[in-house]
Amino acid sequence: MLLAQLTDLHLRPPGMPADRVVETNMLAERAFRAVRRLTPAPDAVVLSGDLVDTGSPAEYDVLVTLLRRYLRCPVFAIPGNHDRRENFRAALADLPGVTEDAEFVQYAVEEYPVRLVMLDTVVPGAPHGELCARRHEWLERTLAAETEKPTIVVMHHPPFDSGIGHMDAMKLRDAEAFVAVMERHRQVQRILCGHVHRAVTARVAHAIASIAPSMAHQVALDLAPSAPSALVMEPAAFQLHHVTPAREIVSHTAYVEEYPGPFPFLTPAVTAA
Ligand SMILES: [Fe+2]
Ligand SMILES: [Fe+2]
């Protein structure tokens, strides 16, 4: 099974850049084209939040058009802090799970060799993430319902520090409570996040947690404690999570841009002196 993770598209109304300089709609279209070209094709796509930039219906219209035009496989989406939950739910109601819960965008996906648990960490109007008591209870109950199948938790806000201070200030709050839930559920192998616009990997409880790079702009890699918030136009990328027949999960970062190659390796023959 091949799962493509696309994150932080930050789509804008047609003709408008994000953050004054980022042509996110063009970048997203290029990224969807790259996903469409993949051979083998992914079995499913997860969208891990910040699908649009301000949460307006016009931005979701752009997303729906792109999804219809380029993706043929099932799409599983959750919101990020730039999304507006009510507009997200209205625009994406046809996607599986999006309206399953009456209040949040949270659901489990059962039909693959690994189970996906899609988690809504959004606090309306705030950049940080948080799980309220009801979402904590839902997560605990949902994980307890299937303890054997390898499980991937998908959430926008990382429950760990990246070392990029201005982003860590808006990570998942009360991450200790989330980690305590993970510790009770050894079937969770991976935690897939967005939000930080960079490829980052860490351990959370026993699981491997990762942040996928953005399909648009990246956050500057500055690990100085008081680093200013800044974006850079480093290569847009997405991740491919390959579930092996043994149900191990192996992850690759794939770039949207096409580069020269591939060229065959031609090793010169070694001749005896
Ligand atoms: Fe983002
Ligand atoms: Fe975000």
Side-chain angles (χ1 to χ4, degrees), residues 104-255:
F104 302 110
V105 181
Q106 54 187 14
Y107 53 99
V109 180
E110 312 283 0
E111 62 262 36
Y112 296 104
V114 292
R115 190 170 187 238
L116 306 178
V117 172
M118 311 295 291
L119 200 52
D120 181 339
T121 55
V122 170
V123 180
H128 71 275
E130 208 165 345
L131 293 174
C132 55
R134 195 165 94 65
R135 281 177 282 182
H136 258 295
E137 184 272 327
W138 179 88
L139 177 63
E140 180 74 52
R141 182 163 40 87
T142 301
L143 290 172
E146 171 55 89
T147 58
E148 297 300 317
K149 201 171 180 181
T151 297
I152 297 175
V153 173
V154 184
M155 58 201 288
H156 182 68
H157 295 86
F160 62 90
D161 283 324
S162 66
I164 301 173
H166 61 93
M167 294 307 297
D168 293 342
M170 50 169 115
K171 66 168 187 171
L172 183 78
R173 284 209 185 140
D174 196 15
E176 298 76 15
F178 173 82
V179 173
V181 177
M182 292 300 105
E183 281 169 349
R184 287 193 284 279
H185 294 284
R186 305 288 304 181
Q187 79 274 22
V188 176
Q189 290 194 4
R190 303 292 297 271
I191 300 164
L192 305 182
C193 309
H195 193 49
V196 181
H197 294 227
R198 294 205 71 81
V200 185
T201 310
R203 180 172 59 80
V204 169
H206 56 279
I208 297 169
S210 58
I211 302 166
S214 169
M215 279 173 48
H217 49 296
Q218 313 302 322
V219 166
L221 177 58
D222 190 340
L223 301 175
S226 57
S229 135
L231 65 88
V232 288
M233 296 311 296
E234 290 177 356
F238 56 94
Q239 290 191 323
L240 291 170
H241 307 290
H242 172 53
V243 183
T244 71
R247 295 201 292 183
E248 302 287 350
I249 303 164
V250 180
S251 297
H252 299 268
T253 297
Y255 294 98

Side-chain angles (χ1 to χ4, degrees), residues 8 50 81-82 156 195:
D8 291 87
D50 285 358
N81 51 299
H82 282 259
H156 182 68
H195 193 49

